[in-house]
Amino acid sequence: MTNNINIDWKALEDQYEAATYARYPVVFTHGEGIYLFDIDGKKYTDLYGGHCVSILGHSPQRVIDAIHEQSKQLMFYSNVIYHPSRGKAARKLIEMAPEGFDKVFFCNSGTEANENAIKLAWKITGKTRIVSTIGGWHGRTLASLSVTHSEKLRLPYRFAMPDVSFVPFGNASALREFLSMNTDVAGFIIEPIQSINGCNMAEDAYYQDVRAICDEYGVLLIFDEIQTGVGRTGTFSFCEHVNMKPDIITLAKSLAAGFPIGAVLMPDRIAGQLSNGDLGSTFAGGMLASAACEATLEEIDVKNHMAHAPLVFNTLLEALKDTPIEIRGRGCLIGLKLPVEAKTVVRELFHRGWITGTSDVADVMRIMPPIITPTQTIEEFAKELIDVISK
Ligand SMILES: Cc1ncc(COP(=O)(O)O)c(C=O)c1O
């Protein structure tokens, strides 16, 4: 983009776009690795990654090359044809996914992945109710919104929603009690780390108990790994940390390093019950998305980037150990519980050239740094954060 400073780019968007986003008062022109540059040439360190998306930093070369090459050959054709890019992306994804996930259904976003996972639960079980968790966040289209706990987002549309109930996150007994009294439950959907809810974690045993309870009551267990997946927490899927397997894993965000994509992973025993037309989308598995996805996964795999995610977390843990800041999350999905309001801290860090984010919990800020972020950058960030808080 040419940096035409005579054009007011903020005013341009404000004039022509529906105003549904709160935005930083900044115009970014380009990104490079973990950095973003604004129209005045100011450099920012991006520890937020466009909301947990830029897992490899900005404009990673392998992904640029893959999109460029593919765009010269065939930009798009729908699922009525076979194409090498889609097959290769699917193969790489299944190779990197935990054992037992044999098939993928591609789509275009996180909410769409959850929407399709919920449809699968209805179809496979023949039952109608979905159970979600208090504080859970799963998307903005109707089925995904129905399992998103936020009353502000959900309640205005409740007249159009399926049967959904919420149980406390991290409390397996509450789930058991609910399922013992309700025989209409098709699926239980959880984020393994509740990100927007302040990177809320549960005990390891919770996930194993949930697995056993869902089996006992014939309920499909859906892991929304839209934030935790693709290696961000140090393993491809969070479930690998806790030695259990959900029935379905949903992915999006990091999966193509910034190119829009979503995916639903499932075992053969579920995929085998699907027939033509059960799920679908025009753009799903498009050539550019597939090429970007395969390149992203390849880069993560061959460079062993997943192994770096725990180092990022541990570096921050060490750097903040003598402070009142409490660190939550895993790998490169991190919540920081502050002794002050997070919003003010995030704003001040922004002025100092650091991009971070808030959460739905007033005193918890979040960072979702690219998994390539050097530990030295994390140490510098910790110093800056401590300084901001002390003031
Ligand atoms: C855990 C989780 N699930 C689902 C979604 C929805 O993804 P998308 O915005 O791509 O529809 C999000 C988005 O922030 C998310 O954080």
Side-chain angles (χ1 to χ4, degrees), residues 185-382:
V185 179
F188 178 48
I189 183 165
I190 49 169
E191 289 170 85
I193 299 175
Q194 287 190 324
S195 178
I196 190 85
N197 194 26
C199 282
N200 197 15
M201 308 271 294
E203 301 284 329
D204 287 4
Y206 171 68
Y207 304 96
Q208 290 146 11
D209 290 349
V210 155
R211 174 67 281 175
I213 294 165
C214 285
D215 281 343
E216 193 180 327
Y217 290 93
V219 168
L220 233 73
L221 177 55
I222 303 167
F223 260 32
D224 174 341
E225 296 232 32
I226 284 158
Q227 295 215 9
T228 52
V230 197
R232 182 169 289 280
T233 69
T235 52
F236 187 80
S237 151
F238 182 90
C239 71
E240 293 163 79
H241 292 298
V242 286
N243 283 326
M244 48 75 72
K245 282 189 189 115
D247 297 300
I248 294 175
I249 295 174
T250 55
L251 301 170
K253 295 211 186 270
S254 309
L255 188 54
F259 204 96
I261 191 168
V264 183
L265 303 182
M266 64 194 94
D268 274 334
R269 76 187 138 76
I270 291 180
Q273 297 184 55
L274 293 174
S275 36
N276 286 348
D278 279 343
L279 308 177
S281 157
T282 300
F283 285 117
M287 279 80 247
L288 294 184
S290 298
C293 174
E294 196 216 352
T296 303
L297 296 175
E298 195 65 32
E299 181 74 2
I300 291 172
D301 195 16
V302 297
K303 302 261 178 76
N304 197 21
H305 284 314
M306 282 192 269
H308 186 68
L311 300 185
V312 169
F313 189 88
N314 291 339
T315 302
L316 196 55
L317 197 62
E318 178 65 23
L320 297 177
K321 72 173 188 288
D322 296 323
T323 73
I325 301 167
E326 185 195 308
I327 172 164
R328 303 163 167 184
R330 194 147 195 163
C332 289
L333 177 56
I334 304 172
L336 297 164
K337 188 171 183 328
L338 309 175
V340 292
E341 192 193 45
K343 203 165 57 180
T344 326
V345 174
V346 168
R347 202 180 302 129
E348 176 57 22
L349 283 165
F350 175 77
H351 290 305
R352 296 183 184 203
W354 295 89
I355 306 194
T356 60
T358 55
S359 73
D360 274 355
V361 182
D363 61 354
V364 179
M365 65 177 284
R366 285 180 299 162
I367 60 169
M368 295 96 153
I371 53 171
I372 55 157
T373 307
T375 51
Q376 194 191 331
T377 306
I378 296 296
E379 282 162 0
E380 288 161 15
F381 165 70

